[in-house]
Amino acid sequence: MSVAAVATMVLMLLLLAGFWLLQAGLTAGVAYVEGKVEIVADLRDVPGAEAALVVEARALAVDVAALPEVRTVHFVSKDEALARFRERLRERGQVDLTGYLDRNPLPASLEVGLVDPREFQPVVDLLSSRSEVVDDVVEVQQLIERLTSVTNVLRTGGLVVLVLVAFVVLFIIVNTIRLAVVARREEIEIMRLVGASDAFIRWPFIFEGAFVGLLGAGAALLVLALLAGPVGDLMYGFFRVLPLELGTLARDVVLLVVGTGLGVGVLGSWLSVRSYLGR
Amino acid sequence: MTSASPPPPAYDPARGREPAAGTGAAPRPVLTLRGVGKTYPNGKVALRDIELSLAEGEFVFLVGPSGAGKSTLLRLLIRDELPTSGEVIVDGADLARVPRRRVPELRRRIGIVFQDFKLLPARTVRDNVAFALEVTGTPRGRIRPAVDRALAVVGLAAAADQLPTTLSGGEQQRTAIARALVHEPRLIIADEPTGNLDPLISWEIIQLLLRINELGVTVLMATHNAEVVTSLRRRVVALEEGRIVRDEVGGYHRED
Ligand SMILES: Nc1ncnc2c1ncn2[C@@H]1O[C@H](COP(=O)(O)OP(=O)(O)OP(=O)(O)O)[C@@H](O)[C@H]1O
Ligand SMILES: [Mg+2]
């Protein structure tokens, strides 16, 4: 058994785990953003008719909430809109001049949270159809579509990379075990000639492949465990925001690393020995 | 007229051992090749239209110039290669019909000996012989007595714990023969077993194979050793360019 085989195995498994964590992070990030995506409808603002419009807006809110695609509906009154605006100015340290305005210029609005950010069309349609209340449906459509396509590209791209990495590992393991097989070529030939079964000849190499895989997986997990502390501290704020189950993620990574190490080690050995077992 | 001269000692493959007049049925064949041809994937035709049958208990030499197809024929018998045409029947089994996973069983019924001994250098004589039983999953308790018996037959009991590298060529070949014997095969196939040995030691090996033959084991031996073949006057099968050109009791060369 060679140190080089274990070392490559460790490197590849680390790469694999890295990619896995990256895509898990990205997926969670996208889910987070998706969860934040809302449809915003600015309401008409007619001086003097504010009270009547509020009644109509609340009726619309009830209708919107009845749609199955809708998770939440929040009515933002003109006062609340102004309060938020002032809050934002204060956060940025800008001078608040709104006190000099004779009338609150901000419109009331409806903020609609969706169950699935891709299913926005019925909500937009309903809001647009009530033009007596709704002034403008803020164009979220394009944003959502772009986000979704980026997510998909990341997922498929990640998958392709994972498969490619697995193939590289397999190739390296096949060649490493082949060296071991070649070193014992004569012994294998004698075994065949005296009537050893294929399984009997194969198992020591399968065992070796599995051992390389498990050793590599163990070392890779050790490295990951050592890195987890500092990296976690560094990204604490980020991770806290994301809807990531750290326990589940750790379990997935352990399963992925051990499973891939074992699987690739065994498969690689099997492929290496196969050509020496004759017809 | 030529009718007065005695006919050559022709050999009838269909009847196996030379029939003694008046005795009963011929012994059943240990191996039979019918219409066997072998063309390697590279297009090289190694055997053509081989008809051959060995009866139980025979001792047969396979001779012919280098490249005639002797080793190819022997490889067909252990199903190391499959024929491209015809049938190879060993111990009643048509080898083309034996599934891959049953090939090991078949090989355990045949002892094989090679020119280059094919011993494992890191194992003692005893362990080399035991290896043939270990790899077939024989219970440990049965290995030791079987190995001792095989080593006794070849006269190597005293060298059992030596490594092959400390042995002479003849002793190494006797170790290989013990390994071939340890499964108690009905057939021993030897491919130039004396090819690496000097004449005196070659004779020892031949004597050993003859003794094993006397125990009832059929022996098929490919060889270039003309002196041995000619003086023993056994059945000789001669190959040339993949064909059997002679099959009779006699010497290394055609005697007309
Ligand atoms: N695996 C192979 N692939 C292609 N051709 C082969 C193969 N093995 C043998 N041959 C060819 O088949 C022919 C017969 O070879 P074989 O080894 O049977 O001859 P042989 O009678 O044993 O010769 P020698 O006395 O030199 O051992 C030769 O021409 C050889 O080159
Ligand atoms: Mg040969």
Side-chain angles (χ1 to χ4, degrees), chain B residues 29-101:
Chain B
V30 172
L31 65 91
T32 306
L33 283 77
R34 282 198 207 107
V36 167
K38 174 66 188 178
T39 306
Y40 280 107
N42 64 3
K44 173 76 199 175
V45 179
L47 292 174
R48 306 159 204 262
D49 211 19
I50 300 291
E51 300 282 339
L52 180 66
S53 185
L54 260 66
E56 178 116 53
E58 276 195 287
F59 190 109
V60 179
F61 288 116
L62 186 59
V63 303
S66 191
K70 304 181 293 295
S71 297
T72 301
L73 195 152
L74 299 186
R75 278 205 291 273
L76 290 178
L77 297 176
I78 55 172
R79 205 188 179 281
D80 201 22
E81 293 283 354
L82 284 170
T84 27
S85 62
E87 287 182 325
V88 179
I89 296 162
V90 176
D91 215 0
D94 179 351
L95 298 197
R97 301 232 179 96
V98 174
R100 239 194 86 142
R101 68 195 153 77

Side-chain angles (χ1 to χ4, degrees), chain A residues 23-77:
Chain A
Q23 78 86 30
L26 284 171
T27 305
V30 163
Y32 173 72
V33 175
E34 277 178 352
K36 290 267 158 183
V37 168
E38 292 177 328
I39 292 173
V40 179
D42 285 344
L43 302 181
R44 285 194 185 283
D45 185 18
V46 184
E50 285 93 349
L53 281 169
V54 165
V55 173
E56 282 190 62
R58 292 207 183 276
L60 176 58
V62 171
D63 290 351
V64 170
L67 289 174
E69 290 85 3
V70 172
R71 192 163 41 85
T72 58
V73 181
H74 180 63
F75 175 69
V76 183
S77 66

Side-chain angles (χ1 to χ4, degrees), chain A residues 186-187 189-198 200 202 274 277-279, chain B residues 78-80 100 104 107-108 112 114 118 120 131-132 134-136 179 183:
Chain A
E186 294 209 343
E187 196 175 340
E189 193 196 347
I190 295 168
M191 283 175 157
R192 288 182 57 226
L193 291 174
V194 298
S197 65
D198 287 356
F200 186 94
R202 201 182 279 133
R274 199 175 54 150
L277 291 179
R279 292 141 291 265
Chain B
I78 55 172
R79 205 188 179 281
D80 201 22
R100 239 194 86 142
R107 296 209 176 123
R108 289 169 209 173
I112 313 159
F114 294 94
K118 294 199 194 297
L120 294 169
F131 188 67
E134 285 164 10
V135 302
T136 54
R179 185 181 62 197
H183 278 298

Side-chain angles (χ1 to χ4, degrees), chain B residues 150-162:
Chain B
L151 286 176
V153 171
V154 302
L156 272 185
D161 295 317
Q162 281 180 246

Side-chain angles (χ1 to χ4, degrees), chain A residues 124-138:
Chain A
V124 172
D125 288 349
L126 176 63
L127 290 170
S128 309
S129 70
R130 302 283 273 273
S131 55
E132 72 280 5
V133 202
V134 176
D135 183 32
D136 186 25
V137 180
V138 176

Side-chain angles (χ1 to χ4, degrees), chain A residues 42-125:
Chain A
D42 285 344
L43 302 181
R44 285 194 185 283
D45 185 18
V46 184
E50 285 93 349
L53 281 169
V54 165
V55 173
E56 282 190 62
R58 292 207 183 276
L60 176 58
V62 171
D63 290 351
V64 170
L67 289 174
E69 290 85 3
V70 172
R71 192 163 41 85
T72 58
V73 181
H74 180 63
F75 175 69
V76 183
S77 66
K78 284 175 66 71
D79 291 346
E80 191 178 345
L82 185 63
R84 284 189 191 174
F85 183 62
R86 287 183 169 147
E87 177 69 19
R88 234 174 300 150
L89 287 178
R90 201 171 30 255
E91 273 177 13
R92 294 189 201 147
Q94 287 171 348
V95 186
D96 184 357
L97 300 171
T98 55
Y100 299 98
L101 294 169
D102 52 354
R103 181 179 177 273
N104 175 0
L106 297 173
S109 61
L110 282 182
E111 290 175 353
V112 184
L114 297 173
V115 175
D116 180 341
R118 279 159 297 195
E119 308 262 323
F120 55 84
Q121 202 57 53
V123 182
V124 172
D125 288 349

Side-chain angles (χ1 to χ4, degrees), chain A residues 110-248:
Chain A
L110 282 182
E111 290 175 353
V112 184
L114 297 173
V115 175
D116 180 341
R118 279 159 297 195
E119 308 262 323
F120 55 84
Q121 202 57 53
V123 182
V124 172
D125 288 349
L126 176 63
L127 290 170
S128 309
S129 70
R130 302 283 273 273
S131 55
E132 72 280 5
V133 202
V134 176
D135 183 32
D136 186 25
V137 180
V138 176
E139 200 55 76
V140 286
Q141 187 169 333
Q142 275 186 337
L143 171 69
I144 292 170
E145 271 171 1
R146 214 171 299 144
L147 200 64
T148 312
S149 67
V150 167
T151 317
N152 285 341
V153 166
L154 285 176
R155 281 188 188 138
T156 34
L159 198 71
V160 168
V161 171
L162 285 183
V163 168
L164 285 179
V165 170
F167 265 106
V168 172
V169 186
L170 192 64
F171 179 78
I172 290 167
I173 293 302
V174 164
N175 279 288
T176 308
I177 299 288
R178 180 154 292 162
L179 285 182
V181 174
V182 167
R184 294 177 58 193
R185 201 177 43 226
E186 294 209 343
E187 196 175 340
I188 292 177
E189 193 196 347
I190 295 168
M191 283 175 157
R192 288 182 57 226
L193 291 174
V194 298
S197 65
D198 287 356
F200 186 94
I201 297 171
R202 201 182 279 133
W203 87 260
F205 296 104
I206 299 288
F207 186 79
E208 183 171 335
F211 189 69
V212 169
L214 283 181
L215 210 63
L221 288 176
L222 195 72
V223 172
L224 286 174
L226 292 177
L227 285 180
V231 171
D233 287 347
L234 207 67
M235 306 189 72
Y236 178 67
F238 182 59
F239 278 127
R240 203 182 33 176
V241 166
L242 294 184
L244 267 179
E245 288 268 3
L246 286 182
T248 319

